[in-house]
Amino acid sequence: QQQVKQSPQSLIVQKGGISIINCAYENTAFDYFPWYQQFPGKGPALLIAIRPDVSEKKEGRFTISFNKSAKQFSLHIMDSQPGDSATYFCAASPSYNFNKFYFGSGTKLNVKP
Amino acid sequence: DTGVSQDPRHKITKRGQNVTFRCDPISEHNRLYWYRQTLGQGPEFLTYFQNEAQLEKSRLLSDRFSAERPKGSFSTLEIQRTEQGDSAMYLCASSLRGQINTEAFFGQGTRLTVV
């Protein structure tokens, strides 16, 4: 049973557009919600992360929106660039071990020039 | 390169053979994690160490899998009697847990193909 559900599976966006990826979870013990970016042949790299005490976090073109009551969070990539083309994973982890991640199934983003 | 290093990057083995992978974490990191990633899926937690102690193992880690982290430095993951279902990318990550807590940094993984 997947503890973090991610959608869409794939996404095509024009350069300069907004990419939006959504995730949902059930376990209320989750306390840390990172997004990872993975390029082919590479390990995942942390992009941005949020804790449930805030509803939004922004770093450059990347924003996480968090809705604790709905148990949902999303990644917005503003002004998407071809270099952003990668697979994105949302994840969640419990407070007792915040690097023990439950990952979503991934979204393959293709930003067209 | 001071990141997480994994060796080998690729391994092809015949079914029934034993394989061993190595992970060298970032030097000051006391936590080390192993994850498995199959094609088109997100990584799944396998096990983790704090220093040399293996503190948690996933039910995904069958009896054919064993992991060690002698002296709290590098770690090895051994798979005995490999099966085709073991074909996956095996990822290692490390982090620092203490007065300063860091994010987890992942290595580039070892891609295992069982034929």
Side-chain angles (χ1 to χ4, degrees):
Chain A
Q1 181 185 0
Q2 197 158 23
Q3 296 216 27
V4 179
K5 295 183 180 177
Q6 183 172 346
S7 63
Q9 193 173 2
S10 63
L11 185 59
I12 299 173
V13 172
Q14 290 295 127
K15 179 182 175 182
I18 302 173
S19 305
I20 302 174
I21 305 171
N22 300 299
C23 286
Y25 66 97
E26 287 298 324
N27 190 341
T28 54
F30 289 150
D31 188 57
Y32 177 66
F33 302 88
W35 284 88
Y36 277 82
Q37 179 189 55
Q38 186 176 31
F39 293 102
K42 303 288 187 183
L46 180 67
L47 198 59
I48 186 172
I50 198 168
R51 291 197 181 270
D53 52 345
V54 296
S55 60
E56 186 174 281
K57 183 174 181 181
K58 185 175 180 178
E59 289 182 1
R61 296 184 294 109
F62 302 94
T63 300
I64 299 179
S65 297
F66 187 82
N67 185 329
K68 188 174 181 178
S69 60
K71 298 204 230 37
Q72 294 176 347
F73 58 111
S74 60
L75 175 69
H76 295 232
I77 305 174
M78 312 300 286
D79 186 27
S80 299
Q81 299 297 311
D84 297 331
S85 298
T87 300
Y88 292 81
F89 294 96
C90 62
S93 62
S95 57
Y96 70 87
N97 190 347
F98 82 109
N99 291 136
K100 178 189 174 185
F101 300 124
Y102 294 84
F103 282 90
S105 53
T107 296
K108 190 169 184 180
L109 172 65
N110 183 7
V111 181
K112 291 197 172 294
Chain B
D1 187 351
T2 56
V4 178
S5 177
Q6 291 189 246
D7 184 70
R9 293 290 312 280
H10 303 273
K11 177 73 177 177
I12 300 175
T13 191
K14 291 184 178 178
R15 190 174 52 186
Q17 296 295 303
N18 298 346
V19 294
T20 300
F21 311 139
R22 178 180 169 122
C23 171
D24 286 274
I26 293 171
S27 60
E28 66 269 24
H29 284 185
N30 53 5
R31 285 198 171 181
L32 187 147
Y33 298 77
W34 285 99
Y35 286 82
R36 180 173 69 186
Q37 184 176 21
T38 52
L39 209 59
Q41 297 298 315
E44 297 172 290
F45 171 80
L46 292 178
T47 188
Y48 94 98
F49 294 82
Q50 176 144 325
N51 301 311
E52 66 275 8
Q54 187 174 18
L55 297 185
E56 188 173 349
K57 294 196 294 185
S58 162
R59 280 175 288 181
L60 291 174
L61 219 61
S62 75
D63 292 345
R64 296 183 298 105
F65 288 71
S66 63
E68 294 182 340
R69 193 183 182 198
K71 301 178 185 177
S73 56
F74 70 92
S75 176
T76 58
L77 178 67
E78 181 184 15
I79 310 174
Q80 296 182 327
R81 304 180 305 282
T82 52
E83 302 173 356
Q84 285 188 322
D86 297 331
S87 295
M89 174 80 86
Y90 290 84
L91 293 163
C92 175
S94 72
S95 68
L96 181 64
R97 186 75 167 164
Q99 288 192 326
I100 300 172
N101 297 321
T102 70
E103 64 180 90
F105 292 85
F106 282 84
Q108 296 195 64
T110 294
R111 180 164 294 285
L112 173 66
T113 303
V114 182
V115 297

